[in-house]
């Protein structure tokens, strides 16, 4: 149930005409009162003898009783209360009770207060009501409506529980502004998937990802095809900006512009400047940025994704440690990485990654203040992804994309657990939704090609070599789990990975022991697939699986790799404990 306090108004009769009228698209059906401050209040909807003016005069009487100089300039209060589409249709009596609870909770007519404001609740659709009130009380004082929206939300959560309605997540005031009803209706008329406000927010966020300064940011906005206006002070200093979609026009045919702050709190120019000030002004060369163990020849989309996977893994560890200010910084940087991935993704993953970035945007903001500079590595990774360009989605690009999506999946899952522990309900739900899209992108689409190549390599291994890898699995895993792995379709790909790990100088048994020792595997969708990606990250194996078939060499085990997280659901549950 969504209550929404609308902007205060000056004309009671004007709002009544709208509530009892046909609506902008003839959507108002059988408008009528379901409750009012007085059981004898006239109902112009169902009483032929009652008029809008009759109801208006009664509502305005306490206002008109004041001297003109004492009357508030804006005295019309308006609250809409909407049920979820899947909720049962409530009766007029139920909506009337909900209306009384709302006016009591918000301070319009507190329970037991006979001198409260006058109000009326109008229903003109199955799923919602509108409450109109005048804010001057019967005793001449003005109602105290401080935080009326927040109090309405709190009451709605109680009503949902009592009436068995869909339970919405409580917000904390850090969400981006929702599209208005007019914006939603306009998007429906124009057959848009999202409202212009939402399209602009998504486009601007992708333009921000990895930028270093204002010049680069505005160049990206222009390249994205947006109309951009800059607000400049008389001194010549840039104060802000507004953006518009070229095809979004008002009734006069003019573009509808939105400021950055109206799209999202962190997209205002001052907030963006804060990000840029925390980023180093020079970007190190590829060799200087590459983590230990990555080849300096890793350039282009694949190299950027390999380095991003390493950086994101470090961010997972920071989030797991749970230092709030550091976590907040990592989540802001994670949002940029996701935006950059969505911007440069191959066609077969683009929609899932866009949806993941769109959902995770809500999880990047809370009242926890981010420690300055701790998102620098992630922002640099986002910059590399953006400058590395689009990935083709096959071979090296496909495998490295699967790896980085896999790591971002863990970061997003860790973010969901952290938000849940902090009581950030909306952010936790947003992170969980993003994780669903990432999982689909990584395992339903991106990983299919490289896993297919590995499967063929494993299938062509000599029988004796396959038996050796099976023995390694049986030694590293419990008997029942080992037999499950050996029976899975992805087992040949895992066998090929074990052989490649030995060829790279690792001890496969030691590597597997570390891989299975950190977290359980028994609830993974495919244990073999989980182990393939886990081992290839740990052993820093080449991800161009199509051009580097496995070979057999004696094990030298020159490194002691660090275990990475798994991709199974049980891992996610353990993080919550």
């Amino acid at each position: 149930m969504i209550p929404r306090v609308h902007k205060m108004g000056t004309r009671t009769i004007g709002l009544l005409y709208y509530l009892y009228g046909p609506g902008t698209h003839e959507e108002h059906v059988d408008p009528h009162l379901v409750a009012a401050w007085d059981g004898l209040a006239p109902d112009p909807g169902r009483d032929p003898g009652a008029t809008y003016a009759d109801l208006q005069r009664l509502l305005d009487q306490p206002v008109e009783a004041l001297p003109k100089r004492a009357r508030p300039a804006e005295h019309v209060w308006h609250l809409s209360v909407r049920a979820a589409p899947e909720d049962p249709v409530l009766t007029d009596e139920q909506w009337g009770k909900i209306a009384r609870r709302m006016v009591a909770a918000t301070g319009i007519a507190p329970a037991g207060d006979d001198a409260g404001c006058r109000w009326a609740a109008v229903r003109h659709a199955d799923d919602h009501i509108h409450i109109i009130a005048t804010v001057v009380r019967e005793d001449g004082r003005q109602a105290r409506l401080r935080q009326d929206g927040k109090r309405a939300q709190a009451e709605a959560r109680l009503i949902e529980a009592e009436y068995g309605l869909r339970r919405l997540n409580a917000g904390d005031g850090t969400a981006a502004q929702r599209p208005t009803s007019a914006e939603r209706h306009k998007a429906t008329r124009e057959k848009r998937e999202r409202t212009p406000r939402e399209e602009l927010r998504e486009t601007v966020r992708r333009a921000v990802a990895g930028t270093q300064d204002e010049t680069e940011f505005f160049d990206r906005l222009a390249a994205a095809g947006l109309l951009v206006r800059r607000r400049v002070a008389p001194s010549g200093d840039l104060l802000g900006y507004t953006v518009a979609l070229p095809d979004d026009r008002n009734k006069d045919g003019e573009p509808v512009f939105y400021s950055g702050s109206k799209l999202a709190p962190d997209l205002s120019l001052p907030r963006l400047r804060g990000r840029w000030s925390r980023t180093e002004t020079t970007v190190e060369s590829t060799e200087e940025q590459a983590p230990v163990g990555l080849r300096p020849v890793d350039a282009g989309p694949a190299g950027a994704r390999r380095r991003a996977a390493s950086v994101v893994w470090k961010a997972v560890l920071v989030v797991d440690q749970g230092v709030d200010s550091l976590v907040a910084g990592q989540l802001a940087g994670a949002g940029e990485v996701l935006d950059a991935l969505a911007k440069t993704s191959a066609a077969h993953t683009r929609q899932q990654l866009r949806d993941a970035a769109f959902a995770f945007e809500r999880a990047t903001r809370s009242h926890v203040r981010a420690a300055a500079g701790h998102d620098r590595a992630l922002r640099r990774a986002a910059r590399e992804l953006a400058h590395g360009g689009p990935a083709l989605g096959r071979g090296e690009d496909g495998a490295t994309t699967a790896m980085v999506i896999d790591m971002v999946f863990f970061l997003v899952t860790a973010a969901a657990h952290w938000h849940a522990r902090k009581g950030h309900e909306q952010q936790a739900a947003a992170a969980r939704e993003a994780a669903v899209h990432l999982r689909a992108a990584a395992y339903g689409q991106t990983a299919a090609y490289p896993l297919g190549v590995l499967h063929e390599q494993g299938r062509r291994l000599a029988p004796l070599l396959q038996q050796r890898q099976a023995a390694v699995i049986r030694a590293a895993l419990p008997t029942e789990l080992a037999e499950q792995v050996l029976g899975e379709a992805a087992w040949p790909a895992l066998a090929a990975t074990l052989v490649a790990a030995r060829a790279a100088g690792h001890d496969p048994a030691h590597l597997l022991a570390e891989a299975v020792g950190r977290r359980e595997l028994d609830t993974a969708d495919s244990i073999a697939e989980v182990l393939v990606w886990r081992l290839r990250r740990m052993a820093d194996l080449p991800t161009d699986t199509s051009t580097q078939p496995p070979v057999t060499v004696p094990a030298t085990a020159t490194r002691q790799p660090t275990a990475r997280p798994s991709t199974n659901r049980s891992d996610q549950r353990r993080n919550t404990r």
Side-chain angles (χ1 to χ4, degrees):
M1 178 166 287
I2 301 175
R4 182 185 176 193
V5 177
H6 298 260
K7 184 178 179 181
M8 293 284 287
T10 58
R11 296 181 68 246
T12 305
I13 192 69
L15 182 53
L16 288 175
Y17 270 113
Y18 168 74
L19 297 181
Y20 279 99
T24 54
H25 302 93
E26 304 290 333
E27 71 273 21
H28 295 179
V29 179
D30 185 24
H32 60 279
L33 282 184
V34 293
W37 83 101
D38 186 339
L40 300 178
D43 181 5
R46 290 187 173 176
D47 182 357
T51 66
Y52 302 153
D54 292 336
L55 182 55
Q56 174 260 320
R57 279 192 294 271
L58 289 173
L59 287 169
D60 281 346
Q61 271 184 356
V63 180
E64 298 293 334
L66 294 176
K68 285 190 176 181
R69 65 178 182 277
R71 298 172 188 173
E74 296 176 332
H75 69 275
V76 183
W77 183 85
H78 178 200
L79 174 74
S80 60
V81 187
R82 185 179 299 273
E86 62 270 29
D87 285 339
V89 176
L90 301 177
T91 65
D92 282 354
E93 182 181 2
Q94 289 172 318
W95 275 120
K97 291 179 179 178
I98 290 171
R100 292 184 182 90
R101 291 180 61 166
M102 283 295 175
V103 295
T106 54
I108 287 293
D113 186 350
D114 295 333
C117 300
R118 296 188 177 188
W119 59 274
V122 178
R123 182 182 188 182
H124 54 215
D126 285 342
D127 64 347
H128 70 280
I129 60 171
H130 292 262
I131 303 175
I132 178 176
T134 48
V135 297
V136 175
R137 292 162 46 89
E138 298 282 3
D139 57 11
R141 293 184 294 125
Q142 193 165 331
R144 301 181 62 180
L145 300 176
R146 188 170 179 270
Q147 295 188 330
D148 50 348
K150 186 175 181 179
R151 286 182 283 174
Q153 291 288 349
E155 189 65 24
R157 302 294 81 79
L158 298 176
I159 292 170
E160 290 163 357
E162 293 179 25
Y163 282 76
L165 306 178
R166 178 185 173 187
R167 305 288 293 273
L168 300 185
N169 297 305
D172 60 1
T174 61
Q177 184 173 329
R178 294 177 182 271
T180 65
S181 296
E183 290 171 351
R184 289 195 298 270
H185 286 310
K186 183 179 179 182
T188 301
R189 289 198 311 273
E190 297 178 351
K191 298 181 179 179
R192 294 179 182 269
E193 182 183 352
R194 292 171 179 160
T195 63
R197 183 191 297 273
E198 292 169 315
E199 286 186 37
L200 287 168
R201 183 165 68 240
E202 181 182 30
T203 304
V204 173
R205 284 185 65 87
R206 287 204 302 268
V208 171
T211 53
Q212 285 189 294
D213 52 38
E214 293 175 13
T215 300
E216 184 178 10
F217 171 59
F218 286 113
D219 286 346
R220 288 195 189 180
L221 291 181
L226 300 186
L227 303 179
V228 183
R229 288 179 179 172
R230 308 187 196 196
R231 188 160 59 90
V232 181
S235 62
D237 295 331
L238 181 62
L239 300 178
Y241 72 97
T242 58
V243 289
L245 295 174
D247 60 346
D248 180 31
R249 305 274 170 164
N250 60 20
K251 62 181 180 180
D252 298 321
E254 299 173 343
V256 180
F257 282 86
Y258 296 82
S259 66
S261 61
K262 293 297 183 183
L263 298 177
D266 53 348
L267 293 181
S268 68
L269 188 60
R271 294 284 291 273
L272 293 179
R273 282 171 171 163
R275 279 198 228 185
W276 294 323
S277 68
R278 297 194 298 269
T279 304
E280 295 174 352
T281 56
T282 59
V283 179
E284 297 88 340
S285 67
T286 298
E287 292 83 358
E288 291 172 327
Q289 293 183 59
V292 176
L294 294 186
R295 297 172 296 286
V297 295
D298 279 351
R305 280 157 173 72
R306 289 176 65 85
R307 287 185 289 278
S310 176
V311 170
V312 172
W313 160 243
K314 294 176 183 177
V316 174
L317 298 179
V318 174
V319 176
D320 279 344
Q321 291 168 0
V323 179
D324 290 349
S325 60
L326 301 184
V327 172
Q330 299 300 311
L331 299 190
E336 289 203 36
V337 170
L338 252 178
D339 288 326
L341 277 175
K343 183 178 181 179
T344 60
S345 61
H348 63 288
T349 59
R350 188 171 302 142
Q351 190 58 52
Q352 291 286 5
L353 290 177
R354 282 187 61 185
D355 290 343
F358 187 82
F360 191 70
E361 179 266 342
R362 180 65 188 97
T364 61
R365 292 189 306 276
S366 69
H367 285 300
V368 177
R369 192 177 187 85
H374 284 274
D375 59 349
R376 183 175 299 162
L378 286 167
R379 296 200 70 246
R380 188 182 300 126
R383 181 177 180 80
E384 279 203 47
L385 289 170
H387 283 266
L392 299 177
R394 298 177 68 83
E396 172 78 359
D397 285 353
T400 52
T401 297
M403 281 190 180
V404 71
I405 293 175
D406 193 26
M407 295 287 7
V408 174
F409 169 82
F410 288 118
L411 181 53
V412 166
T413 301
H417 297 325
W418 180 78
H419 278 307
R421 291 195 300 269
K422 302 299 294 181
H424 304 160
E425 296 180 14
Q426 287 186 355
Q427 292 91 330
R432 288 191 292 268
E433 181 183 347
V436 170
H437 292 297
L438 287 169
R439 190 177 185 86
Y443 300 105
Q445 299 164 340
T446 305
Y449 177 80
L451 278 172
V453 174
L454 285 171
H455 182 276
E456 285 302 307
Q457 292 179 1
R459 194 175 60 83
R460 293 171 183 170
L461 291 174
L464 181 60
L465 200 52
Q466 290 186 27
Q467 292 172 14
R468 289 177 182 173
Q469 310 321 309
V472 172
I473 291 293
R474 290 189 173 100
L477 298 178
T479 302
E480 185 177 346
L481 205 56
E483 295 306 319
Q484 180 180 338
V485 170
L486 295 175
E488 288 183 352
W491 156 241
L494 178 56
T497 297
L498 291 171
V499 173
R502 182 179 293 278
H506 295 278
D507 178 355
H510 177 78
L511 212 59
L512 263 176
E514 287 203 46
V516 301
R518 180 175 176 85
R519 293 176 180 174
E520 59 193 353
L521 293 163
D522 56 336
T523 58
D525 290 341
S526 171
I527 299 173
E529 286 187 22
V530 169
L531 290 176
V532 165
W533 293 115
R534 208 182 277 189
L535 294 176
R536 296 193 79 84
R537 283 196 305 271
M538 292 168 60
D540 188 24
L541 294 178
T543 52
D544 191 355
T545 55
S546 61
T547 60
Q548 301 198 33
V551 294
T552 305
V553 296
T556 53
T558 57
R559 286 180 278 186
Q560 300 294 321
T562 303
R564 264 86 166 163
S566 74
T567 58
N568 60 77
R569 291 189 299 270
S570 60
D571 291 351
Q572 302 168 34
R573 289 198 296 271
R574 177 170 290 185
N575 279 341
T576 61
R577 293 199 287 269

